[in-house]
Amino acid sequence: MADSNQIWTIGRILKWTEQYFEQKGVESPRLDAEVLLSHLLDKQRIYLYVHFDEPLQAEELAAYREMVKQRVNHVPVAYILGKKEFMGLTFKVTPDTLVPRPDTEILVQAAVERLKGMEKDSLRFADIGTGTGAICLSVLNFTPGSTADTVDISSAARAVAEENADSLGLTDRIAFHTGDLLAPIKENKYAAILSNPPYIPEADIPGLAPEVRCKEPMTALAGGKDGLDFYRRLCDEAPALLEEGGFMAFEVGIHQAQDVAALAVANPLIARTEIIKDYAGIDRVVVAWKKER
Ligand code: SAM
Ligand code: GLN
């Protein structure tokens, strides 16, 4: 980027960066180059296309160079930007929080549909392992009248989730707890208990992309030897905290749905389970309903 006297226009810098990212093994080189530059210039991506000939200022060039350096060092785009879109809402993210994944929108949609279907005046749900708050804040946003308790073991993640609640105007409807799974909320009863717990099996961790393995918090990812540690505990303890006819809904990793459904029905309080696929056709969410009286 520093080698020639030519002017660095938007078009030229994008082309150069795309090639550099490609050479460094960045997965979506052109998209990342554009997303970073449009963020820096505070413009929509389309702006770049109609201003290919616009030169960049020296300080813009320097700031972009810093972003490019981070990206080739495997920092996820969301951490460079400090934010991520999820369910059409904008969430602050930091290296203390998992970057919300599109797959997790399946869990949110399933939860919103089912909560609305309960036709109750007061709906309180819990989100266990809340991270940025992506799940609970989206469910609150799309389920008017509901309220939530959230738990995360990481107080740094909790601080980010609190900021997100504030910026989305949802602070009044949510209570934050720091602690181990259900321990901080075990006196309560809920219409639903939701979780996207850490679920990566021990043996799969070395094979994760460096963006995930080296940059995202391992406490958000590692699910024990077979990846099912958190589901074992949740299936054992969560049904007692559900109202009769309530449900628990968990995101699961690939090939885990049947095992998680079996863990759920092993609890005598559970009546039945559902498995929901993601857009790639992978079993992604397990819903387990508590028996009616
Ligand atoms: N809910 C967020 C999402 O879907 O984007 C984050 C999910 S991340 C896979 C799992 C979260 O669980 C992390 O924020 C991690 O800090 C939290 N966690 C890990 N162990 C925990 C425990 N024992 N009790 C409570 N939270 C825990
Ligand atoms: N979906 C995440 C990944 O593939 C894992 C999230 C989790 O462990 N819950 O990296």
Side-chain angles (χ1 to χ4, degrees):
M1 247 195 274
D3 57 331
S4 94
N5 297 323
Q6 282 185 63
I7 293 171
W8 285 100
T9 59
I10 286 178
R12 187 164 166 246
I13 195 89
L14 282 178
K15 197 156 182 232
W16 187 92
T17 307
E18 179 185 3
Q19 283 170 356
Y20 184 55
F21 279 171
E22 192 155 20
Q23 188 191 321
K24 294 287 180 183
V26 172
E27 207 177 298
S28 41
R30 179 71 189 193
L31 179 67
D32 288 6
E34 290 180 9
V35 168
L36 294 174
L37 189 57
S38 58
H39 174 78
L40 178 73
L41 301 177
D42 198 19
K43 304 280 190 211
Q44 304 275 350
R45 267 170 65 213
I46 185 73
Y47 176 95
L48 306 176
Y49 278 83
V50 289
H51 293 86
F52 266 176
D53 295 332
E54 187 176 298
L56 291 174
Q57 307 296 320
E59 57 278 18
E60 289 170 341
L61 206 52
Y64 191 60
R65 186 179 293 128
E66 274 314 304
M67 292 173 131
V68 168
K69 230 193 260 175
Q70 289 189 62
R71 189 66 197 93
V72 297
N73 191 25
H74 303 295
V75 179
V77 171
Y79 287 161
I80 303 175
L81 269 44
K83 63 179 185 180
K84 177 76 183 174
E85 287 276 305
F86 179 83
M87 292 297 296
L89 306 171
T90 302
F91 288 86
K92 174 177 172 163
V93 298
T94 74
D96 291 314
T97 59
L98 187 92
V99 178
R101 307 289 205 265
D103 291 338
T104 306
E105 295 185 347
I106 306 286
L107 171 59
V108 170
Q109 284 159 7
V112 169
E113 272 168 31
R114 283 158 184 75
L115 283 167
K116 285 186 168 166
M118 292 171 118
E119 291 179 354
K120 287 171 53 170
D121 295 337
S122 89
L123 284 170
R124 191 162 188 84
F125 67 90
D127 172 28
I128 310 303
T130 200
T132 54
I135 296 171
C136 58
L137 294 171
S138 307
V139 172
L140 285 173
N141 185 71
F142 293 106
T143 316
S146 63
T147 55
D149 274 310
T150 73
V151 183
D152 206 291
I153 200 148
S154 156
S155 50
R158 172 191 170 147
V160 174
E162 283 179 327
E163 274 191 59
N164 283 323
D166 194 34
S167 67
L168 293 167
L170 294 167
T171 302
D172 294 349
R173 292 165 56 198
I174 190 165
F176 293 92
H177 307 269
T178 304
D180 183 22
L181 292 193
L182 302 165
I185 57 164
K186 60 176 186 293
E187 307 305 329
N188 302 344
K189 282 277 195 281
Y190 299 98
I193 297 178
L194 314 176
S195 185
N196 171 19
Y199 59 60
I200 309 285
E202 205 172 275
D204 292 358
I205 289 177
L208 294 174
E211 276 73 1
V212 181
R213 183 174 41 83
C214 308
K215 305 295 177 187
E216 297 199 272
M218 203 38 74
T219 36
L221 296 164
K225 200 163 177 50
D226 62 359
L228 302 177
D229 281 5
F230 288 89
Y231 303 111
R232 278 190 194 90
R233 292 180 57 200
L234 287 168
C235 290
D236 189 31
E237 296 167 26
L241 307 190
L242 288 173
E243 294 160 2
E244 263 124 37
F247 67 91
M248 46 187 196
F250 306 137
E251 177 174 323
V252 298
I254 192 161
H255 306 316
Q256 291 177 334
Q258 297 296 342
D259 289 339
V260 173
L263 286 169
V265 293
N267 187 316
L269 296 173
I270 293 300
R272 66 190 171 88
T273 59
E274 301 170 71
I275 292 176
I276 302 165
K277 291 186 190 298
D278 64 20
Y279 296 119
I282 295 167
D283 290 342
R284 185 55 68 193
V285 170
V286 174
V287 181
W289 292 88
K290 186 167 177 173
K291 289 177 179 159
E292 305 277 351
R293 195 179 283 279

